[in-house]
Amino acid sequence: MSNLDRRKFLKVSAAVAAVTSSGSSMAQSNGTPPAAFAAAAAAASPAVAAPAAAAPAAAAPAAVPKVTRILAKYIVGARYEDLPVGVRKEGARTLLNWVGVAVGGSHHETVECAVAALGPFSGPRQATLLGRKERFDIMNAAFVNGVSSHIFDYDDTHLKTIIHPGGPVISAILALSEYRPVSGRDFMNALILGVETELRIGNAVYPNHYDVGWHITGTAGVFGAAAAAGKLLGLSEQQMVWALGLAASQPVGLRESFGSMNKSFNPGRAASNGLFAAILAAQNYTSSDGMIEAKRGWANTISTKQDYREITEGLGTHYEASLNTYKPFACGIVIHPAIDAAIQLRNQYHLTAEQIDHIELRVHPLVIELTGKKTPQIGLEGKFSIYHSVAVAVVAGAAGEKQYSDAAVRDPATIALRDRVSATIDPAIKSEQVDMTIVLKDGRRLHRFIEHAIGSTQVPMTDQQLETKFSDLVDGILPKAQSDSLMNLCWNIEQQPSANIIAQTGAKVV
């Protein structure tokens, strides 16, 4: 038997054994009946055949649904008028939150580096850098605004996948809206469709894709940016298929980048890559028609899980975009329950750091994996330290961007309390939960269990809280009158004849 035939034989044998023992679980993951897996395995290698007398009648392999085309057809045909009122409202909340964090982050060192690096090479002054006086070409503007919106780790979050959907999508279409006319209604429709696209694709591969190290905001976000930009460009169904295919060829982002400037590079690049894909497709730059689902396509190449039902089922009736959430704290979402608990206990008992002997936490394993930095040295690292986050929440009673500055991370009082915070992994604790005990020097033990933190879908931030967050972020960058006008435009973008007014109002006046 040749090496090639031997590999085929082993592959087919393993497939048949897996179908025999666990066909039902495979069907659940892939949406294909167990019998079809057996038939597919039997047909996989005609060079290895069972004796003729024992061979059952061959069945055709089950066809994988044409996910890329189904999704493209939906995006092209979806109308603003068909969006439920609640979904439109969540779209406005997504826009308001994104604009706030983008303006708020616009003068961070990371953005300064990006502007300095790209300025000499940027093309025509086509689009605004929010919160700044510079204008870049639309590709580079989409990138910089995407970076700016994520650098504080304060942006929106789809809790099921930990995708930050606003950055890739809105950065792309805001830049595009300055290049060609886009009505507020069309802008909102594209925003929601882009968010819906990236979240559904993310659902199909999460958590396996994320677990191996991909930063899913970048890898799934590029699809959202391509879909939203393609919708505004008026792509045909075939062109949208190509746009999604070109997006699939540009996955960006690894979790190793967390805690560095590189993390915010990922949604920025997803925005510009998605816009790039849509613009190419508009000129009939082709791709494979099955780039998401093909054997050597995106989903099979970068994940061991492919549940295509997550992408196609309920299109136009169920909206993942309506499940978007917004951070009350400027750090990784898995730390939020601990911060919430710390602030609640601090406020209830009027605690000071000096009263506390130590703080005990029981957390989900992912908390330590993502935010286990015990001795952060800079603000960006503090965002990935549950120890700093809990300590600063007690010391300051808050965990906004100011509590993650370099100075805050190096504050002696915060460091002293941080060193008295311990976290123990408890598999019984869910990722959205925390069990906290603060032990005081007088022997008292103060306990708080958080089932769902503020900012979750169960305890969402109110519109007023979002407005306060927006104002806090924009304060000092834009004058109050300009800030108030920008906030009002975000709430009412659907009534605006031209969506580029968001960018114009969000620019820093020279």
Side-chain angles (χ1 to χ4, degrees), residues 157-476:
T157 308
H158 178 249
L159 296 178
K160 183 176 178 180
T161 56
I162 326 181
I163 291 173
H164 306 289
V169 171
I170 308 176
S171 301
I173 61 176
L174 186 67
L176 186 58
S177 74
E178 293 194 83
Y179 181 70
R180 55 181 291 147
V182 173
S183 72
R185 285 162 62 96
D186 287 345
F187 184 91
M188 179 57 70
N189 192 33
L191 187 163
I192 292 170
L193 289 173
V195 169
E196 190 70 14
T197 295
E198 64 186 316
L199 296 185
R200 283 175 168 270
I201 290 174
N203 284 345
V205 296
Y206 187 86
N208 305 41
H209 168 69
Y210 187 82
D211 287 346
V212 297
W214 288 100
H215 185 192
I216 195 169
T217 295
T219 56
V222 65
F223 290 103
K231 182 67 174 179
L232 293 181
L233 289 169
L235 300 188
S236 68
E237 180 183 316
Q238 182 59 62
Q239 289 171 326
M240 188 64 77
V241 167
W242 293 333
L244 294 174
L246 292 167
S249 291
Q250 303 176 88
V252 60
L254 301 173
R255 284 169 53 198
E256 176 61 25
S257 66
F258 289 10
S260 73
M261 293 181 181
N262 191 166
K263 185 173 189 284
S264 60
F265 171 94
N266 301 336
R269 200 59 181 166
S272 56
N273 283 355
L275 180 57
F276 188 61
I279 288 174
L280 284 174
Q283 296 298 322
N284 295 322
Y285 196 106
T286 69
S287 178
S288 162
D289 286 357
M291 281 289 281
I292 295 175
E293 73 278 6
K295 180 180 179 181
R296 295 178 179 85
W298 183 86
N300 283 305
T301 300
I302 64 176
S303 179
T304 55
K305 173 199 171 188
Q306 304 85 28
D307 188 349
Y308 298 121
R309 296 170 300 178
E310 291 277 8
I311 300 177
T312 59
E313 287 186 359
L315 282 169
T317 58
H318 165 73
Y319 289 88
E320 287 293 313
S322 67
L323 302 178
N324 205 9
T325 69
Y326 313 95
K327 291 184 176 184
F329 311 123
C331 60
I333 197 76
V334 295
I335 312 180
H336 286 206
I339 295 172
D340 195 0
I343 292 176
Q344 286 188 32
L345 289 173
R346 174 192 187 271
N347 293 344
Q348 181 178 349
Y349 295 98
H350 308 289
L351 297 178
T352 63
E354 291 74 20
Q355 294 175 278
I356 297 172
D357 183 76
H358 65 278
I359 300 175
E360 303 168 355
L361 305 173
R362 291 195 298 117
V363 299
H364 185 273
L366 191 63
V367 174
I368 302 302
E369 179 183 343
L370 294 179
T371 65
K373 295 181 182 294
K374 290 190 174 182
T375 57
Q377 301 300 308
I378 60 174
L380 281 177
E381 291 181 345
K383 293 173 181 290
F384 295 90
S385 171
I386 191 168
Y387 309 98
H388 168 76
S389 298
V390 169
V392 81
V394 172
V395 170
E401 184 51 33
K402 294 180 178 66
Q403 285 71 50
Y404 290 98
S405 65
D406 291 350
V409 167
R410 296 167 186 162
D411 174 63
T414 302
I415 291 174
L417 183 56
R418 180 185 77 196
D419 292 340
R420 303 198 300 274
V421 177
S422 65
T424 302
I425 291 175
D426 185 343
I429 302 290
K430 298 178 181 178
S431 60
E432 66 270 22
Q433 299 173 337
V434 75
D435 190 291
M436 174 180 287
T437 300
I438 297 181
V439 181
L440 303 184
K441 292 178 179 178
D442 64 12
R444 284 183 294 162
R445 297 176 65 88
L446 311 178
H447 178 260
R448 188 60 45 94
F449 179 80
I450 298 294
E451 182 78 22
H452 300 288
I454 183 174
S456 63
T457 52
Q458 294 82 3
V459 191
M461 290 185 72
T462 65
D463 290 352
Q464 184 176 1
Q465 288 171 328
L466 280 176
E467 289 182 350
T468 299
K469 175 182 175 180
F470 179 96
S471 298
D472 288 346
L473 284 162
V474 175
D475 180 45

Side-chain angles (χ1 to χ4, degrees), residues 80-160:
Y80 168 85
E81 293 79 11
D82 297 330
L83 293 173
V85 173
V87 175
R88 296 180 198 171
K89 175 61 181 293
E90 210 57 61
R93 282 162 58 87
T94 297
L95 177 61
L96 177 73
N97 188 79
W98 179 86
V99 171
V101 293
V103 174
S106 60
H107 292 272
H108 189 276
E109 179 188 3
T110 303
V111 178
E112 298 288 358
C113 288
V115 171
L118 298 175
F121 309 103
S122 181
R125 293 162 50 87
Q126 298 166 329
T128 299
L129 305 186
L130 289 181
R132 303 183 64 94
K133 65 181 185 299
E134 298 94 344
R135 290 176 63 82
F136 277 6
D137 64 83
I138 64 171
M139 294 293 184
N140 281 306
F143 170 75
V144 173
N145 285 331
V147 169
S148 182
S149 71
H150 191 62
I151 191 60
F152 286 165
D153 240 306
Y154 213 2
D155 43 353
D156 53 349
T157 308
H158 178 249
L159 296 178
K160 183 176 178 180

Side-chain angles (χ1 to χ4, degrees), residues 29-71:
S29 175
N30 293 274
T32 309
F37 278 100
S45 179
V48 183
V64 174
K66 296 181 178 180
V67 173
T68 308
R69 184 163 295 279
I70 292 169
L71 184 57

